[in-house]
Structure formats: structure tokens, C-alpha cells
């Protein structure tokens, strides 16, 4: 039998038939018994529920109980218990009990960062409600507390559900529901926070500000209080900073889509069944345009997928494929603090996409089809909610692929396309439909060929155009209209359009083919040695496109233009000019990346990432070692701050191999004799010693970099010392910081620490701030927190004066740790809030996740609810960023909260998951491993297993030993609570 009290009190037999309970007295009696399943309810409380007026006698109550027993039959037992009664039924047979269980499990899943499971559980819980809890018992004093408790939990579950759905990106219509709820509960700050987030997510920050102000006013008028720190922090974070990077959207289209509306619907429908659909067909047939339209259809409307468009044409080989996908997703290959343990770019992709509902559009796969096939198969196997739409001249050839051959346009659509495009260049264009149809037939109805031909209507009469095409293509002589024939058609049309260009236009067009991912007008004019008028002429003739401030060339036209560049014998000279242009850009940008202008320059360099890689590829392949070294050095700060160092590691390794033997051999300490006071050796390779150092550091950042690091470390150390030991500072101060980080795990890391620390009075301001930061760890390790804080404070002031957001955030986080260590959690939270705002501006999701964990650690003692929210948000961010170390830290924090809530089983599960994700060999994971192992020790203690507890505490001590500090000091520095640290030390002492 099933019972319902979430609405009018009702009961049903197992077959669904309703039990006739009788009048309101028996329903009230049953409702109150069901709010305390298995527990005795006093006769007085039952009498009050049945008759709030207080006139019901004990005999009358007993009579009502007997009638209720008879109505329920064998489906439930109502027993007398002392001076009252209790009902004996299964908890899950009562809708209120089932609701509370599902709501509790949903909230636990939300805390653990599993938003999808949370949303499902919470939806199931909320569907059990049919009306107000204990409907009809509002006048009963006995029932009022239970009804209020259930309504409060209903509202909490509703908030949890909305939050989970928003985390999944599946709540585009959340604002109306939230407005209605906030209107009914104007003092409920969590609802207000959800409304502010939803308004911001929908691109309406002004309305979000209004919502915050209304909540603030209600709180002030009715309670005389200010908003909570959490709501004020949300207001500051969400409305005062730039949003983080988002997946690359499909390119905006400047012209109408003609002739394939039915195909869009069919391909979109096929994607709902097959998780990999490949659009195949010859060049110029319209695969890319069709993929854009399908993506638009799939990515709009309620419950729509996210869409990420990856343009693969700029890639020259498959080596850069994972980084291209990471960049398109708005993700970094590494964190700002030097990576994510042993994660490869593919590992990070899988982690980031594992729980994400996303359509990945891979455009122009044919030249890297083998690499795309392998990567797509791996991603689809590991990421069950991912779908892939590929365009290629050939299938990917993997299991589960659904092929959609893209055909030329039908006759009527081809004519419409020609007329529309011709009308764009000659307003009022009209022509004999038969002549237009003959032109389109001559072009095999290929969209790109039609557009190229229609662009000529500006200067040619339609009959003249038809005659020229007949002569050019020899329509009457051709037979097959198969794929190969269409390739020949398109090539002939491109060649015909090319030959109609003037000499300067041909020269600019063929030179433009060296760009990867397009170019600004300034870069195009410099490299192509042309002017703006010529570029505009190429746009008018459909040889170039212009959108978003950049010129682009379609791949098919670029391939033909590249042949003409080779034919003219200009390729090497133009690629050299291209490389020098982007070397100049990287050099110009480098100092700005360490100052307040970094947010202006980072997007400029990101837009030119493909060109920077193309320039580097030419320098390595030429080989032009000098240009290669200079490019890597000039771009090093950009690559690091954007988390893309690993994308150039293979080129850096190749460049080092082409440069011959390691200078001076691998002898002496890492910093050579300079650290000991001797004279610096002459830098290797003709004054490019510092560039060589950065090449080594970038080479070492890749998966295959360890042997290169061992081979070059000593020589690079001497070169760095030579660059930074004289009266004039070096050119690239980021090398100092990267050198310190790369040496952190080496046996003689102390020499690197001493050398970098010695730069704290350097005249170069960024190097000086970085050195002061590094130098603070010396006294910190010795227990002198006063001197450490003084040096960290000086570093923070230095970075702030420059306007460098990353350096400032790094030091603020460290200062927050010191404040928290001495018990000043208010200051620790304030410092972490500032660091969070800065890293969000840089789009560093994984670093934001780390900071949220740190803030939660500072909040646990005074505000557990806020700490729990921070850990959950950190887990969700880390999952989205694909950061294993960030997720491990967040899960450790959620486990701590579960232990605090008296749930050792839940805590143990979260601790074990955190331990699986925390890399034991990565310095960033040391704190997480120590605190996780200690937490498992506490779980063992809670269940009385002292032997296991001691083992876990000892393992925590062994992990802490990796910091190099004495055990108790290491535990303090890693943020372990004092009471837990004592247990760890006791376990070690008792061995």
C-alpha cells in the first residue's frame, strides 16, 4: 500500500486503486501518524489533529482509530504504543519519506559535483508533490511543525534542482520560474543568488544588478540586515568581471542559406541517433556551410547542446590536434602554476568532456583524417554525452560513424543561389532563368563555384559570363558528373577566377595563403606587400572573406593559391616575411602581458595563435634556428599564461636537435659557477642564451620532454645565470619563474631557488616581484612567518603596481594561506576573493577551482554551508576544465564536509575518489594527498579501526615528507587542522 501526505492525504492499494479513507477526521489522523512513521504519536496530538477545537474524547479517538484500521485493512498496522499510537509501514511507501530520501541524495550528488545525477534525483523528488503538505490540517497545532518542515525541504530541493540544471546548462528558461519564487520568498538569499546567476548567464547583467538591489532592500527594510557575504561576493564576482572563455561558436555567416533546409533537419535528426555524423563530399560542395547550419539548429532551443566549432584547415599535421580542440573549447592545456601533473592534452579533453552535453563540429578533417579518427573514437568512448559532426572529403572510418554525402544543389536551388549572389554585387540583377541554369549546370551546381562565378556579374554581362564558362569548362565534351569531375570543375572555376585578377591582386592572393586562421588588415598588407584597396577587391571577387576584423581565404582557394605561390618561387621569402611579422607582434606583446594591458593583448595573440605556430613551424623546418629561438622566447609568456606551452613542445625539441651538441656539455651544477661567485660563461649560440633557456623550458613542458630536460638542464642553467647576473637584466623575466617551477622536483632545487631569490632587488620590476615571491618560501620553510609574509607582501605590491593579475592572484592566495594558518579566516577569505576575481578575468577555470577550495578551507569553521557550496562549485569547475588535481582537491573538501555532517561512509567514498585523481608525483597534489590520507584515518577512527587509522596517518606523514620540511611544520604549511596534525604526528611517533 502507498500513502500520500504531500497534498491531500490519500492511500492506494498496490494495483493503483484508491483506498476509501472516509471523512476528514480519519484523513487527519492518518496524516499525522504518517509524519512519524514507526514512532509513537501521543493521543493528545492525534486528538488535536482530528479536532483542533479540543472536544474529542479519548473514546471517540479510539473509535476513529478503529475505523481507520478497518479502512486500511492488512496494508498497514496501527498499533497502540503507551499513551498513543504508531503506524507501521515501509518508509518508501510514504511519499513524504520518499521525497526526503531523494532530496537528500540529490543534494549529496550536487555537493559532489555530479549535477546530472542531482538533477534527476531532485526532479523525481519534486514530482511526488500534489499540493501543500498535510493539506487540510492547517489549523492543527500538532501538524503545523511537520507541514512547515516539509515545505521548507521542498523549497530547498527546488533550489537544489534549479542549481543542478543551471550547472548542466539546461535551464535557459530558469529566469521566469526564479522570479516567481523570489517574489513569494523575497528574503530567501539563495533563491536571489540563483536568479542573479541566471540573469547574468542570459546576458542581462543590468537586470541582475536590479535583482540584487531588490533583495538588499527587502533585507534592510524587513530584517534590518545587509545581504550575506556570499550574496555580496556573488554580486561582485559575477557582475564586475569579464566572463571566462567559452567554446568557439560556428563562424557568423554573411549570406543567406539557400537550398538545403531539409538536409539541415535530417542531419540534425541523425545526430540524435548517431553520435558521430560525417558530412562527405568534394571541395566546394557546401559541407562547412551545412555543418554551421546544423550546429545552429542543434544549439538553439530548450535543452540545446553546447556547440564548439573547430576549424582544422590551419593545421599542417595531427600533432597539434588535441591543443586545437582545447583552444576551441576555451580550455588550457595546463594551469597557470605549471600544469596538472601527468595529464596529457587528450587526458584533459576527456576529463573536460566526460559529463558535458556538447556537439563538437570538426571542420575540414581530410588532411588529418587518421589522427582525427583516433581522437574522435577515444573521446566518444569516454564521453557518453558528446556528439561529433565532422566534414571531410573521405569518411573517418570508425565504428558508429554515420555518413551523409553532401550533393551539389538541385537545379532550382542553384539558380536561386546564383541570382541572390549576383544581386549582391549588382543591385536589381535579372536574367533569363535558362541562361542562369546553363551557367549553374556548367559549374556542376557546386555552391562555391556558383558564388565565384556570380561575383563576376559586377563586371560581366550574364550572357558573356555563360560564353566564357562554356569555353573554359568544355561542358559539351564532358561526360561524368562524378566526384572527380566536380573536383576538376571547381579547380577550373578557381583558375578562371584567378586569371581574371590583376597582377597585384594575384600577387596578394597567392601570398595570403601563408596565413593560418586568417589575418588582420595590417598583417596582410605587410606580408603580402599590398594595400587595402587590393584586399577589398579580392573580397568583392569572393577570393577572400572579411568578418570580425579579419580576412580569411577558403581552403579550396588557398590550396590553388599555394600552388601559384610555389610556381612563382616566392614561398620561402613570403613565409620568412610572415615569420618576421609575427615575431615582431610577439615581441611587442610580451612586456604588456606582465602589466595592466594584458587583457587587451591576450586576445590579440590568441587570435594569431595559428599564425604563431605556422611561423614557428617554418623556422624549425627551414631550419632557421635564430628565428625559432626568438619566436619561442617572445611567445613564452603568452603560451604559459594561456596554458599552451605543451602545444609547442615538439617543435622546441626538434629545434634543439637541429642546433647540434649541448654547449659545454652537461657538467657542473644547474646554475654553473655563477651561483658560486665565478664569472658567467659566454652564452651559447651567439648571444641567444636566454632564448635557448626558454626553448629548453618549453620543450620540457611536453609529454616527451623529460629526456630533453636532463640533457639540457645544466647548459640552460649556465645560460640563464649569464643572462641575469650582469648589470643589465635579461629580456624575458618569465624564464626565471618557469626555471624555479621546473626545478622544484629536482635533487638540487636549492640552487635554482637561491638564484631566483637573488633577483629580488633586480631593476626589472616583474622579475623583482617574482623573486620576492619565491624568496618568501625560504623563511616560511624555517618557520619564520613574519619574514615570509613581509616578502610575499612586497611581491604582491610589485605585481599590483604593474597590473599583472596572475602574479597578484598567486601571491594573494599564498598570503591567504598564512592568514588562515594564524586563525584570521576573515582576512584569508577576503584575500582569496580578490584572487578569484583576478583569475576569472584571465579565464583560468582550474586556478579558480583551486582558489574556491582554498576559500572553502578558510570558511569551514565559521560558515560550513558556504564552504560546502565552494567545494561543490570547485568540483563542477574542475570537471569542466578537465583538471584532475582540481577535482581531487574539491572532492577532498566535500569528504571533509561529509565527515563533519556525521556521514563517514559518504566521506570515505569521496576521499577514495580524491585519492585516485591526485597524482602522487605532482607537487600540486601533495597537500590534497596528505589531507585525503589523514581524512581516511579519521574515517577509520570513526568506525573504531585504529590499526587502519594509524596506517593512513603514517601514509599522510610520508606524503608530507615530500615537501622537504619537518613533519609537523609540513602539515601546518599544507593546511591540515591542528587536531588532525597531532594524530598524524602521534602515529609516526608510535611506529
Amino acid at each position: 500500500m502507498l500513502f500520500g501526505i504531500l497534498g491531500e492525504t490519500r492511500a492506494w492499494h498496490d494495483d493503483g486503486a484508491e483506498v476509501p479513507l472516509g471523512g476528514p477526521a480519519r484523513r487527519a489522523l492518518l496524516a499525522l501518524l504518517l509524519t512519524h512513521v514507526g514512532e509513537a504519536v501521543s493521543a493528545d496530538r492525534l486528538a488535536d489533529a482530528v479536532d483542533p477545537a479540543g472536544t474529542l474524547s479519548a473514546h471517540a479517538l479510539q473509535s476513529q482509530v478503529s475505523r481507520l484500521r478497518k479502512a486500511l485493512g492488512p496494508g498497514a498496522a496501527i498499533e497502540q504504543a503507551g499513551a498513543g499510537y504508531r503506524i507501521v509501514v515501509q518508509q518508501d511507501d510514504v511519499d513524504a519519506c520518499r521525497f526526503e530520501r531523494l532530496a537528500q541524495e540529490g543534494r549529496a550528488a550536487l555537493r559532489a559535483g555530479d549535477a546530472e545525477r542531482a538533477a534527476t534525483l531532485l526532479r523525481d523528488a519534486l514530482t511526488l508533490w500534489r499540493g501543500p503538505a498535510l493539506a487540510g490540517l492547517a489549523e492543527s497545532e500538532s501538524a503545523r511543525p511537520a507541514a512547515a518542515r516539509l515545505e521548507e525541504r521542498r523549497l530547498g530541493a527546488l533550489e537544489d534542482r534549479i542549481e543542478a540544471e543551471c550547472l548542466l546548462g539546461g535551464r535557459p528558461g530558469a529566469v521566469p520560474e526564479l522570479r516567481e519564487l523570489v517574489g513569494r520568498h523575497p528574503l530567501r538569499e539563495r533563491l536571489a543568488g540563483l536568479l542573479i546567476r541566471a540573469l547574468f548567464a542570459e546576458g542581462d547583467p543590468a537586470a541582475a544588478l536590479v535583482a540584487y538591489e531588490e533583495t538588499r532592500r527587502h533585507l534592510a527594510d524587513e530584517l534590518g540586515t545587509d545581504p550575506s557575504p556570499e550574496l555580496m561576493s556573488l554580486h561582485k564576482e559575477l557582475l564586475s568581471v569579464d566572463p571566462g572563455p567559452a567554446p568557439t561558436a560556428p563562424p557568423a555567416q554573411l549570406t543567406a542559406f539557400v537550398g538545403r533546409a531539409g538536409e539541415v533537419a535530417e542531419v540534425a535528426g541523425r545526430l540524435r541517433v548517431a553520435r558521430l555524423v560525417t558530412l562527405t563530399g568534394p571541395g566546394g560542395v557546401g559541407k562547412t556551410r551545412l555543418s554551421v547550419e546544423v550546429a545552429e539548429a542543434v544549439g538553439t532551443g530548450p535543452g540545446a547542446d553546447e556547440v564548439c566549432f573547430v576549424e582544422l584547415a590551419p593545421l599542417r599535421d595531427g600533432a597539434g590536434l588535441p591543443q586545437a580542440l582545447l583552444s576551441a573549447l576555451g580550455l588550457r592545456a595546463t594551469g597557470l602554476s605549471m600544469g596538472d601533473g601527468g595529464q596529457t592534452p587528450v587526458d584533459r579533453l576527456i576529463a573536460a568532456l566526460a559529463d558535458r552535453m556538447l556537439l563538437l563540429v570538426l571542420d575540414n578533417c581530410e588532411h588529418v583524417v587518421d589522427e582525427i579518427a583516433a581522437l574522435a573514437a577515444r573521446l566518444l568512448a569516454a564521453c557518453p554525452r558528446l556528439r561529433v559532426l565532422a566534414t571531410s572529403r573521405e569518411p573517418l572510418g570508425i565504428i558508429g560513424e554515420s555518413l551523409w554525402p553532401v550533393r551539389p544543389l538541385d537545379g532550382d536551388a542553384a539558380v536561386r543561389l546564383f541570382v541572390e549572389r549576383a544581386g549582391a554585387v549588382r543591385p536589381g540583377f535579372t536574367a533569363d532563368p535558362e541562361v542562369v541554369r546553363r551557367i549553374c549546370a556548367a559549374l556542376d551546381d557546386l555552391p562555391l563555384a556558383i558564388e565565384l562565378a556570380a561575383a563576376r556579374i559586377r563586371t560581366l554581362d550574364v550572357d558573356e559570363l555563360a560564353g566564357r564558362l562554356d569555353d573554359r569548362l568544355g561542358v559539351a565534351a564532358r561526360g561524368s558528373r562524378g566526384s572527380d569531375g566536380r573536383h576538376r570543375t571547381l579547380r577550373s572555376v578557381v583558375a578562371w577566377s584567378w586569371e581574371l585578377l590583376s597582377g597585384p591582386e594575384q600577387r596578394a592572393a597567392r601570398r595570403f595563403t601563408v596565413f593560418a586562421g586568417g589575418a588582420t588588415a595590417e598583417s596582410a598588407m605587410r606580408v603580402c606587400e599590398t594595400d587595402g584597396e587590393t584586399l577589398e577587391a579580392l573580397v568583392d571577387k569572393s577570393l577572400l572573406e572579411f568578418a570580425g576584423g579579419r580576412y580569411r581565404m577558403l581552403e579550396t582557394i588557398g590550396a590553388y593559391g599555394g600552388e601559384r605561390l610555389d610556381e612563382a618561387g616566392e614561398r620561402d621569402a613570403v613565409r620568412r616575411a610572415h615569420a618576421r611579422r609575427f615575431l615582431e607582434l610577439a615581441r611587442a606583446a610580451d612586456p604588456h602581458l606582465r602589466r595592466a594591458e594584458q587583457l587587451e593583448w591576450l586576445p590579440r595573440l590568441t587570435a594569431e595563435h595559428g599564425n604563431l605556430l605556422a611561423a614557428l613551424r617554418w623556422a624549425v623546418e627551414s631550419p632557421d634556428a635564430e628565428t625559432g629561438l626568438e619566436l619561442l622566447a617572445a611567445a613564452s609568456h603568452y603560451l604559459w599564461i594561456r596554458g599552451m606551452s605543451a602545444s609547442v613542445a615538439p617543435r622546441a625539441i626538434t629545434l634543439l636537435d637541429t642546433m647540434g651538441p649541448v654547449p659545454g656539455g652537461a657538467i657542473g651544477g644547474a646554475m654553473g659557477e655563477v651561483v658560486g661567485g665565478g664569472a658567467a660563461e659566454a652564452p651559447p649560440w651567439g648571444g641567444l642564451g636566454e632564448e635557448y633557456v626558454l626553448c629548453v623550458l618549453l620543450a620540457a613542458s611536453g609529454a616527451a620532454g623529460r629526456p630533453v630536460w636532463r640533457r639540457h638542464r645544466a647548459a640552460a642553467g649556465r645560460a640563464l645565470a649569464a643572462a641575469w647576473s650582469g648589470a643589465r637584466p635579461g629580456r624575458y623575466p618569465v624564464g626565471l619563474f618557469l626555471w624555479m617551477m621546473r626545478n622544484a622536483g629536482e635533487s638540487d632545487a636549492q640552487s635554482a631557488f637561491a638564484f631566483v631569490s637573488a633577483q629580488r632587488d633586480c631593476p626589472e620590476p616583474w622579475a623583482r616581484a617574482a623573486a620576492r615571491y619565491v624568496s618568501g618560501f625560504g623563511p616560511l620553510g624555517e618557520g619564520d612567518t613574519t619574514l615570509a609574509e613581509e616578502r610575499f607582501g612586497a611581491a604582491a605590491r610589485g605585481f599590483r603596481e604593474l597590473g599583472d593579475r596572475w602574479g597578484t592572484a598567486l601571491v594573494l592566495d599564498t598570503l591567504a594561506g598564512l592568514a588562515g594558518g594564524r586563525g584570521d579566516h576573515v582576512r584569508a577569505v577576503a584575500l582569496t576573493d580578490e584572487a578569484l576575481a583576478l583569475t576569472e578575468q584571465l579565464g583560468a577555470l582550474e586556478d579558480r577551482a583551486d582558489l574556491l577550495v582554498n576559500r572553502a578551507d578558510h570558511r569551514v569553521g565559521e560558515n560550513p554551508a558556504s564552504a560546502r557550496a565552494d567545494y561543490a562549485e570547485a568540483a563542477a569547475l574542475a570537471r569542466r576544465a578537465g583538471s584532475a588535481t582540481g577535482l581531487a582537491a574539491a572532492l577532498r573538501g566535500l569528504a571533509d564536509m561529509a565527515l563533519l555532517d556525521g556521514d563517514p561512509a559518504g566521506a570515505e567514498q569521496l576521499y577514495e575518489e580524491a585519492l585516485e585523481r591526485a597524482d602522487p608525483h605532482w607537487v600540486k597534489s601533495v597537500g590534497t594527498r596528505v589531507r585525503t590520507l589523514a581524512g581516511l584515518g579519521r574515517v577509520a577512527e570513526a568506525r573504531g579501526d585504529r590499526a587502519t587509522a594509524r596506517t593512513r596517518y603514517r601514509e599522510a606523514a610520508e606524503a608530507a615528507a615530500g615537501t622537504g620540511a619537518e613533519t609537523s611544520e609540513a602539515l601546518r604549511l599544507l593546511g591540515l587542522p591542528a587536531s588532525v596534525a597531532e594524530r598524524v604526528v602521534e602515529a609516526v611517533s608510535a611506529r
Side-chain angles (χ1 to χ4, degrees):
M1 184 173 286
L2 301 177
F3 302 89
I5 58 174
L6 301 180
E8 183 185 10
T9 303
R10 300 170 69 181
W12 301 269
H13 293 295
D14 289 343
D15 62 2
E18 187 165 357
V19 177
L21 296 174
R26 264 165 276 166
R27 291 181 186 273
L29 179 62
L30 177 60
L32 193 57
L33 287 170
L34 289 172
T35 62
H36 300 82
V37 172
E39 299 175 10
V41 183
S42 69
D44 290 341
R45 293 183 65 194
L46 291 170
D48 175 69
V50 173
D51 181 15
T55 61
L56 189 71
S57 67
H59 177 74
L61 175 64
Q62 187 177 16
S63 175
Q64 291 290 353
V65 170
S66 297
R67 293 174 186 173
L68 180 60
R69 284 193 183 113
K70 184 176 180 181
L72 296 177
I78 300 177
E79 303 173 342
Q80 190 160 7
Y85 297 87
R86 67 166 166 253
I87 189 168
V88 181
V89 296
Q90 294 295 318
Q91 294 267 347
D92 253 23
D93 288 345
V94 182
D95 60 0
C97 298
R98 196 157 65 255
F99 160 75
E100 293 198 72
R101 176 181 62 78
L102 290 169
Q104 186 175 6
E105 291 175 2
R107 176 164 290 188
L110 184 60
R111 290 173 181 171
D114 191 347
E116 183 175 8
R117 182 167 182 267
T120 300
L121 289 166
L122 291 160
R123 289 187 199 112
D124 291 345
L126 290 164
T127 56
L128 296 170
W129 285 75
R130 296 168 288 106
L134 303 174
L137 294 182
E139 297 180 6
S140 168
E141 289 291 334
S142 298
R144 193 171 295 135
R149 177 178 61 82
L150 286 168
E151 291 291 349
E152 173 65 20
R153 294 193 178 179
R154 178 189 192 182
L155 190 53
L158 189 59
E159 291 170 334
D160 288 339
R161 189 210 77 200
I162 293 172
E163 182 174 343
E165 291 174 342
C166 287
L167 286 172
L168 289 171
R171 290 291 296 165
V175 168
E177 180 181 11
L178 283 166
R179 283 198 186 280
E180 191 270 333
L181 288 168
V182 169
R184 286 195 282 121
H185 306 279
L187 302 179
R188 198 166 179 98
E189 291 187 74
R190 188 180 179 203
L191 280 174
L194 288 169
L195 176 59
I196 291 168
R197 286 184 184 276
L199 288 166
F200 188 86
E202 290 194 4
D204 197 350
L209 281 166
V210 171
Y212 173 83
E213 181 58 25
E214 288 175 349
T215 301
R216 186 201 63 75
R217 190 176 62 251
H218 279 301
L219 291 169
D221 292 347
E222 299 189 33
L223 301 179
T225 64
D226 292 326
S228 66
E230 290 73 30
L231 195 59
M232 288 191 287
S233 175
L234 171 64
H235 174 248
K236 177 182 176 183
E237 291 176 17
L238 292 182
L239 308 180
S240 301
V241 298
D242 295 333
T248 301
Q253 300 303 302
L254 306 179
T255 55
F257 187 55
V258 176
R260 298 194 193 275
E263 286 188 76
V264 171
E266 291 188 53
V267 174
R270 185 168 293 195
L271 273 168
R272 287 191 287 271
V273 179
R275 293 177 54 222
L276 168 63
V277 175
T278 303
L279 307 179
T280 61
V285 79
K287 302 184 295 296
T288 295
R289 184 63 190 268
L290 179 58
S291 75
V292 169
E293 298 297 329
V294 171
E296 177 69 20
V298 172
T300 56
D305 287 13
E306 284 185 281
V307 175
C308 179
F309 191 91
V310 189
E311 187 178 350
L312 298 173
L315 291 181
R316 292 297 180 267
D317 54 52
L321 185 57
Q323 180 60 56
L325 267 63
L326 283 171
S327 298
L329 286 162
L331 301 178
R332 308 156 57 84
T334 63
L336 285 171
S337 47
M338 291 296 293
D340 198 7
Q343 269 194 310
T344 66
V346 175
D347 293 334
R348 182 169 282 258
L349 276 172
I350 290 172
L353 297 175
D355 301 310
R356 200 162 169 180
M357 186 179 292
L358 182 130
L359 173 64
L360 190 63
V361 183
L362 303 175
D363 188 38
N364 291 312
C365 297
E366 50 275 346
H367 63 303
V368 286
V369 67
D370 293 336
E371 294 86 350
I372 280 287
L375 181 57
R378 188 170 174 188
L379 291 177
L380 288 166
C383 309
R385 304 177 71 199
L386 175 69
R387 292 183 286 172
V388 175
L389 177 64
T391 74
S392 178
R393 294 183 186 180
E394 59 179 293
L396 302 191
I398 60 177
I399 295 173
E401 179 181 28
S402 177
L403 298 179
W404 184 272
V406 181
R407 312 291 185 190
L409 294 172
D410 66 44
D412 291 341
V415 169
R416 288 202 309 275
L417 178 63
F418 184 94
V419 170
E420 179 181 301
R421 300 303 191 258
V425 298
R426 182 188 285 182
F429 169 79
T430 59
D432 182 345
E434 290 300 321
V435 176
V436 175
R437 181 71 202 103
R438 183 158 57 88
I439 291 172
C440 294
L443 299 172
D444 276 333
D445 295 324
L446 290 170
L448 177 57
I450 291 171
E451 295 201 20
L452 287 170
R456 289 296 169 181
I457 289 297
R458 187 173 190 175
T459 55
L460 295 177
D461 179 83
V462 68
D463 292 315
E464 183 182 4
L465 175 66
R468 289 195 180 193
L469 285 175
D470 283 346
D471 292 341
R472 177 76 193 191
L473 301 176
V475 176
R478 285 195 322 210
S480 171
R481 287 292 190 268
S483 180
D484 289 343
R486 293 189 180 107
H487 275 302
R488 288 195 295 272
T489 298
L490 182 60
R491 181 178 179 81
S492 297
V493 173
V494 172
W496 171 74
S497 297
W498 191 277
E499 289 169 8
L500 293 176
L501 299 175
S502 68
E505 289 170 349
Q506 287 187 1
R507 185 169 183 264
R510 68 177 179 256
R511 290 186 167 205
F512 191 90
T513 61
V514 301
F515 289 103
T520 63
E522 181 182 1
S523 293
M525 288 189 287
R526 287 274 301 277
V527 174
C528 300
E529 296 182 354
T530 189
D531 53 37
E533 186 177 342
T534 301
L535 294 173
E536 290 306 312
L538 291 173
V539 172
D540 290 342
K541 295 166 184 175
S542 295
L543 273 296
L544 288 182
E545 297 177 336
F546 185 77
R550 296 178 70 81
Y551 291 95
R552 294 179 182 275
M553 180 175 277
L554 292 178
E555 182 192 11
T556 303
I557 297 171
Y560 183 85
E563 293 175 6
R564 304 288 74 75
L565 186 67
D566 289 333
E567 189 178 82
E570 296 177 337
R571 180 172 293 279
D572 190 65
V574 177
R575 291 197 68 184
R576 183 182 300 277
H578 174 271
R580 299 309 297 182
R581 164 62 187 159
F582 288 99
L583 173 57
E584 289 174 12
L585 178 66
R587 280 176 173 165
D590 179 65
H592 297 290
L593 298 180
R594 295 186 289 278
R595 290 171 173 78
E597 316 90 80
Q598 60 190 181
L599 293 187
E600 300 169 20
W601 282 85
L602 279 170
R604 290 181 63 178
L605 290 178
T606 299
E608 303 296 359
H609 187 74
N611 282 313
L612 288 167
L613 293 184
L616 177 62
R617 182 171 57 250
W618 171 82
V620 172
E621 293 172 353
S622 293
D624 183 341
E626 180 176 340
T627 299
L629 287 174
E630 290 176 331
L631 264 168
L632 285 170
S636 58
H637 201 110
Y638 154 71
L639 292 167
W640 166 55
I641 208 168
R642 275 296 190 224
M644 297 177 178
S645 299
S647 68
V648 300
R651 302 289 180 192
I653 292 172
T654 303
L655 188 60
L656 290 171
D657 289 343
T658 65
M659 290 165 61
V662 177
I667 59 174
M671 302 309 298
E673 297 179 354
V674 172
V675 174
E681 294 182 9
W685 291 300
L688 295 177
E690 193 174 6
E691 287 81 355
Y692 160 66
V693 173
L694 285 159
C695 183
V696 171
L697 288 166
L698 290 169
S701 67
R706 188 64 188 170
V708 178
W709 175 242
R710 285 197 300 266
R711 189 164 64 252
H712 287 270
R713 178 172 172 250
R718 290 193 295 274
L720 187 67
W724 285 89
S725 297
R728 294 179 58 188
R731 294 181 293 273
Y732 301 109
V734 70
L736 291 169
F737 190 84
L738 298 182
W739 183 260
M740 181 66 250
M741 294 298 296
R742 187 61 62 194
N743 276 278
E746 301 294 339
S747 58
D748 61 341
Q750 189 60 36
S751 65
F753 170 81
F755 178 74
V756 176
S757 298
Q759 306 299 319
R760 58 181 178 269
D761 295 318
C762 172
E764 205 293 320
W766 197 92
R768 184 168 63 245
R772 288 176 176 177
Y773 172 70
V774 170
S775 70
F777 288 97
L780 184 63
E782 297 167 1
D784 188 350
T785 55
T786 301
L787 179 56
E789 191 160 13
E790 179 183 316
R791 291 183 176 177
F792 292 142
R797 288 190 296 275
F799 284 128
R800 271 203 182 101
E801 287 169 5
L802 288 168
D804 177 24
R805 293 159 182 81
W806 176 80
T808 305
L810 181 71
V811 184
L812 289 174
D813 182 38
T814 305
L815 286 168
L818 287 177
R822 63 171 179 267
D824 188 353
H825 296 294
V826 173
R827 175 167 169 74
V829 169
L831 290 167
T832 308
D833 283 343
E834 187 179 352
L836 277 164
L838 293 171
T839 54
E840 186 167 355
Q841 291 180 44
L842 293 171
L845 293 184
E846 62 274 55
D847 294 279
R848 179 172 168 78
D850 287 343
L851 287 166
L852 283 168
V853 170
N854 295 347
R855 186 173 73 178
D857 289 343
H858 299 315
R859 284 175 157 178
V860 167
E862 298 178 6
N863 196 336
S866 296
R868 184 179 290 109
D870 278 349
Y871 288 133
E873 186 180 354
L877 276 176
R879 289 182 196 275
R880 185 176 181 85
S883 172
T885 58
L887 183 55
L891 292 172
R892 184 276 306 164
L894 290 167
D896 287 349
M897 300 308 300
L899 202 54
L900 190 66
D901 292 343
D903 182 10
E908 184 173 30
Q909 181 178 350
L910 288 166
Y911 280 134
E912 292 289 359
E913 187 177 351
L915 204 58
E916 289 175 9
R917 296 175 184 273
D919 187 339
H921 306 297
W922 184 236
V923 65
K924 282 179 64 177
S925 293
V926 171
T928 299
R929 283 185 56 79
V930 169
R931 298 185 70 165
T932 301
L933 289 165
L936 287 167
R938 294 166 65 196
V939 169
E941 274 191 328
R943 62 168 179 256
D945 186 352
R946 295 184 177 179
T948 299
R950 283 195 298 271
T951 299
R952 289 303 197 180
Y953 288 143
R954 287 170 184 160
E955 289 173 347
E958 290 169 2
T963 64
E966 186 265 336
T967 300
S968 58
E969 182 63 17
L971 297 174
R972 184 185 68 81
L973 292 174
L974 294 171
L976 205 65
S979 59
V980 182
E982 289 174 7
R983 294 190 183 110
V984 174
V985 173
E986 287 172 6
V988 175
S989 302
R991 177 173 289 180

